[in-house]
């Protein structure tokens, strides 16, 4: 039986990946960090089908212990401090978890299960102030935040373990991907959640940052399939995963408010504090290699994604108000 260890299983991607691997009959072990309250909302439906173990990317011995006990055949490193604005306020923590945490895990794998296949959750934020449009596997990095810098470290240490120790270690350079399970602070979910609040009369305005920023947004459920596909190949390799289409935050607002019959211009206000010290203005993927070599393509387009998220938040809000 294939055994997968997922770090970050309580996050958006961890929950979708765990569901995918269960369908493929994997034994799924999810690493969670200790907290005073339970953070299993996203994995509530599958909690009885997976094994949940405590561990932390700060703590090497917890990683070694998990690998020794479960001997996973595949390890997916999805855990990270993943919110870009927080990385300016907590740059050292971001480096500890999002960068050095990757080395801790790779080193533990090298010592305990060197034949295990390793997936690193790299990010389009590494392209930052882009040096090429669209961005592909060979595009040089120019990260614009401590988060992007930490991810560039995680990317290169993964390449380095592959080349130094002959490990099956790969990096998926994923562009923004969203879902109704996205954290509330990220822009798509912030908008869908607040559209539902405004439509239900719970608030009147939505303060936003840079509406001109452009992102290549896809659906998280599609993107976890690419993670799995990358670990099934004969040779380890890195892939850019995205849709190849870019949209502005303004267009996101227009579509999301439009979905419930409202005009975003009547509600969205500008809040200087939400602008970033250094912005990533334009991201757009060239996913040709993923399509031709991996056979991966996104199934959900941007408008369907926005509709899915707004509809889910409208339902959640209606259910909450009924209680
Ligand atoms: P997310 O929802 O923020 O989930 C992050 C996960 O990491 C959570 O389960 C969190 O646990 C866990 N975590 C944080 N610090 C930890 C630590 N010290 N030790 C162990 N676990 C820790 O992120 P996501 O959107 O699912 O993204 C998954 C991964 O892909 C992340 O590495 C992210 O940086 C990367 N990525 C995401 C995107 C995207 O658009 N979503 C694009 C490219 C790359 P708690 O639940 O306890 O907080
Ligand atoms: O911002 C602009 C903001 O926070 C997107 C993470 O998953 O994807 C994500 O990083 C854009 C930025 O995601 C608001 O300035 C405007 O240009 O949703 P976001 P992100 O920073 O792109 C990458 C690939 C990752 O790897 C990360 O882990 O939206 N924006 N107004 C705003 N953003 C937020 N959050 N809130 C606003 O009010």
């Amino acid at each position: 039986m294939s055994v997968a260890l997922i770090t970050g299983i309580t996050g958006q991607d961890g929950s979708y990946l765990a569901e995918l691997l269960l369908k493929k009959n994997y034994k799924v072990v999810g690493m969670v960090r200790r907290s005073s309250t339970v953070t299993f909302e996203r994995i509530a439906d599958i909690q009885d089908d997976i094994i949940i173990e405590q561990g932390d990317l700060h703590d090497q011995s917890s990683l070694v212990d998990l690998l020794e006990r479960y001997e996973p055949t595949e390890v997916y490193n999805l855990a990270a401090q993943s919110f870009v604005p927080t990385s300016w306020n907590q740059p050292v923590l971001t480096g500890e978890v999002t960068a050095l945490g990757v080395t801790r895990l790779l080193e533990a794998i090298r010592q305990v299960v060197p034949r295990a296949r390793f997936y690193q959750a790299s990010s389009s934020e590494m392209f930052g102030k882009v040096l090429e449009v669209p961005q592909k596997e060979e595009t040089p990095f120019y990260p614009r935040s401590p988060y992007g810098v930490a991810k560039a470290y995680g990317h290169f240490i993964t390449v380095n373990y592959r080349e130094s120790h002959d490990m099956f270690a790969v990096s998926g350079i994923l562009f923004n991907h969203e879902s109704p399970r996205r954290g509330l602070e990220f822009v798509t979910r912030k908008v869908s959640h607040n559209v539902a609040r405004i439509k239900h009369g719970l608030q009147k305005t939505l303060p936003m940052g840079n509406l001109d920023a452009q992102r290549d947004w896809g659906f998280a459920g599609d993107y976890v399939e690419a993670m799995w596909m990358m670990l099934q190949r004969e040779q380890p390799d890195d892939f850019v995963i995205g849709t190849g289409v870019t949209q502005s935050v303004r267009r996101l607002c227009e579509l999301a408010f439009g979905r419930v019959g409202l005009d975003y211009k009547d509600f969205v206000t500008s809040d200087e504090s939400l602008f970033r010290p250094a912005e990533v203005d334009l991201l757009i993927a060239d996913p040709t290699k993923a399509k031709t070599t991996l056979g991966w393509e996104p199934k959900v387009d941007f408008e369907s994604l926005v509709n899915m998220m707004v509809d889910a938040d409208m339902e959640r809000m209606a259910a909450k108000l009924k209680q």
Side-chain angles (χ1 to χ4, degrees), residues 124 127 132-139 173 175 216 238-246 283-292 296 298:
S124 53
F127 296 124
E132 191 177 19
V133 179
Q135 296 85 48
K136 56 179 186 286
E137 289 77 6
E138 293 76 27
T139 303
I173 306 175
F175 283 62
D216 180 330
D238 305 326
F239 289 89
V240 155
I241 303 295
T243 68
V245 179
T246 195
L283 289 175
I284 176 166
D286 174 356
T288 306
K289 184 177 167 188
K291 189 175 174 185
T292 53
W296 178 86

Side-chain angles (χ1 to χ4, degrees), residues 10-13 33 56-57 78 80 82 147 151 174 177 182:
T10 54
Q12 170 188 258
D13 290 6
R33 53 181 172 164
D56 200 302
L57 283 187
L78 308 186
S82 75
Y147 170 80
K151 280 290 178 186
L174 271 52
H177 46 280
R182 188 56 144 152

Side-chain angles (χ1 to χ4, degrees), residues 3-256:
V3 181
L5 172 66
I6 304 176
T7 73
I9 196 163
T10 54
Q12 170 188 258
D13 290 6
S15 67
Y16 281 107
L17 180 65
E19 287 170 12
L20 178 76
L21 296 181
L22 283 175
K23 277 195 207 119
K24 294 184 184 295
N25 288 321
Y26 277 66
K27 174 167 160 182
V28 176
V29 182
M31 188 182 93
V32 302
R33 53 181 172 164
R34 192 261 158 191
S35 74
S36 65
T37 52
V38 172
T39 56
F40 297 170
E41 198 183 312
R42 297 186 178 103
I43 51 172
D45 290 347
I46 54 167
Q47 213 173 315
D48 295 337
D49 305 319
I50 59 179
I51 299 166
I52 295 175
E53 290 282 0
Q54 277 190 12
D56 200 302
L57 283 187
H58 285 104
D59 190 293
Q60 182 87 12
S61 65
S62 69
L63 306 175
V64 169
D65 176 62
L66 276 181
L67 296 172
E68 282 177 345
R69 282 198 287 136
Y70 291 101
E71 298 183 348
T73 49
E74 295 175 11
V75 177
Y76 295 86
N77 184 35
L78 308 186
Q81 190 303 95
S82 75
F83 190 47
V84 172
T86 297
S87 78
W88 276 287
N89 299 332
Q90 301 181 14
V92 175
L93 177 132
T94 302
E96 278 289 343
V97 180
T98 306
L100 266 187
V102 188
T103 312
R104 290 194 193 97
L105 187 50
L106 280 166
E107 189 53 20
I109 293 170
R110 187 182 72 79
Q111 287 170 18
V112 182
V113 281
R115 306 272 39 100
R117 296 183 166 211
F118 175 80
Y119 173 86
Q120 167 58 15
S122 287
S123 165
S124 53
E125 281 295 295
M126 301 187 303
F127 296 124
K129 192 172 177 178
V130 297
L131 295 170
E132 191 177 19
V133 179
Q135 296 85 48
K136 56 179 186 286
E137 289 77 6
E138 293 76 27
T139 303
F141 299 151
Y142 189 153
R144 293 277 276 171
S145 63
Y147 170 80
V149 173
K151 280 290 178 186
Y153 174 95
H155 175 83
F156 280 121
I157 200 70
T158 302
V159 173
N160 184 259
Y161 267 65
R162 177 166 80 220
E163 293 177 354
S164 308
H165 304 298
D166 197 24
M167 284 166 59
F168 195 111
V170 306
S171 162
I173 306 175
L174 271 52
F175 283 62
N176 299 52
H177 46 280
E178 322 291 314
S179 74
R181 299 184 201 168
R182 188 56 144 152
L184 281 170
E185 70 270 62
F186 298 94
V187 75
T188 52
R189 184 73 200 291
K190 173 176 171 177
V191 171
S192 65
H193 174 75
N194 284 288
V195 159
R197 285 181 57 82
I198 288 170
K199 184 69 182 172
H200 282 93
L202 297 174
Q203 70 187 55
K204 289 192 163 42
T205 59
L206 175 56
M208 295 286 298
N210 181 10
L211 298 184
D212 296 319
Q214 289 173 273
R215 290 290 183 277
D216 180 330
W217 278 295
F219 171 52
D222 289 345
Y223 286 45
V224 297
E225 299 223 4
M227 296 176 187
W228 175 78
M229 290 166 112
M230 286 174 63
L231 291 198
Q232 311 314 309
R233 287 173 48 79
E234 257 174 44
Q235 294 301 323
D237 203 356
D238 305 326
F239 289 89
V240 155
I241 303 295
T243 68
V245 179
T246 195
Q247 306 279 354
S248 66
V249 175
R250 190 183 307 281
R251 177 72 181 142
L252 161 71
C253 293
E254 191 178 26
L255 285 174

